[in-house]
């Protein structure tokens, strides 16, 4: 579904970014206010870093060209080319248990850290000698960033959160990293998550514009129903997006309202999008789950180039 009032920018690899024009602002500023990142430097129309081309091949400088509805331009680079990693200082706002085995950390940055929904950062918390990697669970436009941390008994992160962590603790964040990010296409999208592999999926879903999105479906899988988390977040997303939510737990009581089994078996429960060559899939979770989901989707004739995945290895 394309909104004809939006601006459409096509990257060199064919990915399309779309966003609403902001009255009285440039194309560049309009993109940034929608939480997007584009190449720029001087912002005065002299360096040509932000140059795009119109349908006739003419040059358009995004930093000085007023944003107008329906504009369609092409960019000479890929979307990931404009998010180089950088270092930021951060402080914890809050931390709490999201479920029996998952912590949620909310924090603020000294300066914004642009990223694409689905990417991850490296963090070093007090008392740790080496970084841990976590995907953001918030949209790029969020005022604070959110991490989901698996509680692994005896692990450095779990020990810190259980014993030493305090609000206002200072730490460092470096990123973003990874090419697992939401592609801005008009194809139906399937998301399959296992455990805290749900974090980047929540970031992706939270960044989608309800006015332009194709049909969506998400399968959130957990080892045990008591480990399930972010269910209210998924419910609220389903109120604004054309999103089907399927929950799966390998172990559950009769009170569990989801599917009993692994998320691969729950593929059969998806009803609102076709599981065929016209659909994109985003997979994140333990390596075994990701590999099994990929194989199952390939068997359903999804194209290998349309299956994006990240294996989620928990940091101790």
């Amino acid at each position: 579904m394309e909104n004809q009032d939006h601006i459409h920018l096509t990257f060199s690899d064919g990915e399309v970014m779309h966003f609403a024009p902001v009255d009285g602002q440039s194309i560049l500023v309009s993109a940034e206010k929608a939480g997007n990142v584009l190449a720029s430097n001087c912002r005065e129309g002299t360096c040509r870093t932000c140059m795009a081309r119109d349908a006739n091949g003419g040059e358009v400088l995004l930093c000085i060209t007023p944003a107008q509805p329906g504009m369609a331009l092409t960019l000479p680079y890929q979307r990931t080319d404009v998010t180089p990693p950088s270092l930021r200082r951060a402080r914890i706002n809050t931390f709490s248990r999201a479920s029996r085995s998952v912590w949620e950390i909310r924090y603020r940055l000294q300066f914004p850290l642009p990223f694409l929904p689905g990417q991850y950062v490296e963090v070093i918390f007090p008392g740790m000698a080496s970084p841990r990697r976590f995907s953001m669970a918030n949209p790029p436009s969020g005022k604070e960033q959110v991490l989901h941390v698996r509680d692994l008994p005896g692990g450095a992160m779990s020990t810190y959160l259980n014993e030493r962590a305090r609000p206002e603790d200072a730490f460092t964040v470096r990123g973003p990293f990874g090419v697992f990010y939401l592609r801005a296409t008009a194809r139906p999208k399937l998301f399959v998550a296992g455990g805290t592999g749900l974090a980047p999926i929540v970031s992706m879903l939270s960044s989608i514009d309800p006015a332009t999105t194709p049909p969506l479906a998400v399968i959130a899988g957990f080892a045990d129903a008591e480990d399930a988390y972010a269910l209210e977040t998924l419910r609220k997303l389903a109120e604004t997006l054309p999103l089907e939510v399927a929950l799966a737990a390998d172990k559950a009581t009769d009170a569990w309202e989801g599917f009993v089994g692994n998320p691969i078996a729950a593929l059969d429960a998806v009803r609102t999008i076709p599981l065929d060559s016209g659909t994109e899939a985003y997979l994140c979770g333990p390596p075994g789950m990701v590999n099994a989901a990929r194989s199952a989707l390939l068997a359903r004739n999804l194209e290998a180039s349309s299956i994006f995945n990240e294996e989620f290895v928990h940091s101790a």
Side-chain angles (χ1 to χ4, degrees):
M1 298 174 58
E2 283 196 359
N3 189 323
Q4 299 302 315
D5 292 331
H6 280 199
I7 295 171
H8 302 271
L9 303 182
T10 302
F11 293 87
S12 62
D13 58 356
E15 185 178 358
V16 180
M17 173 189 293
H18 45 80
F19 51 90
V22 177
D23 188 39
Q25 299 290 345
S26 67
I27 300 171
L28 179 62
V29 170
S30 295
E32 292 172 341
K33 286 186 176 294
N36 299 303
V37 180
L38 295 171
S40 65
N41 190 4
C42 73
R43 306 178 75 92
E44 296 177 351
T46 57
C47 72
R48 300 179 70 254
T49 299
C50 68
M51 187 270 292
R53 294 190 181 277
D54 60 24
N56 298 318
E59 294 188 357
V60 177
L61 298 178
L62 305 186
C63 68
I64 60 172
T65 302
Q68 299 293 333
M71 300 179 83
L73 307 169
T74 59
L75 299 167
Y77 54 85
Q78 297 184 40
R79 195 175 182 185
T80 51
D81 292 339
V82 295
T83 54
S86 58
L87 187 68
R88 296 288 189 275
R89 295 185 183 278
R91 286 189 181 274
I92 292 178
N93 287 335
T94 62
F95 61 98
S96 60
R97 285 192 180 273
S99 75
R100 179 181 67 173
S101 61
V102 178
W103 288 91
E104 180 180 87
I105 303 175
R106 292 180 173 269
Y107 62 95
R108 64 188 186 276
L109 295 164
Q110 183 181 19
F111 301 105
L113 180 68
F115 69 94
L116 300 176
Q119 290 186 301
Y120 68 90
V121 290
E122 293 181 340
V123 297
I124 300 181
F125 285 94
M128 297 182 189
S130 58
R132 267 60 181 171
R133 294 179 174 180
F134 299 102
S135 298
M136 280 76 72
N138 56 282
S141 58
K143 293 183 178 180
E144 62 180 0
Q145 292 196 341
V146 182
L147 305 180
H148 295 163
V149 180
R150 175 76 180 276
D151 192 350
L152 296 174
M157 279 298 301
S158 296
T159 300
Y160 169 68
L161 290 169
N162 281 293
E163 298 180 5
R164 305 192 312 275
R166 297 289 184 273
E168 297 300 321
D169 275 1
F171 62 101
T172 60
V173 178
R174 185 170 181 267
F177 298 101
V179 294
F180 181 67
Y181 67 93
L182 182 67
R183 272 63 178 177
T185 68
R187 305 174 75 182
K189 292 175 171 53
L190 170 71
F191 305 87
V192 183
T196 49
L198 185 57
I201 303 303
V202 169
S203 176
M204 292 179 181
L205 292 171
S206 300
S207 70
I208 293 175
D209 183 349
T212 60
T213 183
L216 311 166
V218 58
I219 300 174
F222 307 95
D224 191 306
E226 292 189 32
D227 298 317
Y229 77 99
L231 304 189
E232 181 64 15
T233 297
L234 293 175
R235 185 190 67 77
K236 289 183 178 179
L237 286 167
E239 292 177 352
T240 58
L241 297 171
L243 173 66
E244 177 185 3
V245 178
L247 305 176
D250 287 323
K251 181 180 178 181
T253 66
D254 292 340
W256 175 243
E257 297 180 355
F259 182 86
V260 179
N262 63 48
I264 314 308
L267 286 171
D268 292 329
V270 175
R271 296 287 181 264
T272 57
I273 65 172
L275 299 186
D276 58 24
S277 60
T279 292
E280 288 178 354
Y282 297 82
L283 319 174
C284 190
M289 186 223 78
V290 169
N291 292 334
R294 172 175 281 273
S295 296
L297 293 173
L298 289 173
R300 293 171 183 260
N301 296 319
L302 267 75
E303 298 176 357
S305 60
S306 296
I307 302 176
F308 309 99
N309 66 268
E310 184 160 81
E311 296 179 355
F312 210 85
V313 180
H314 298 294
S315 300

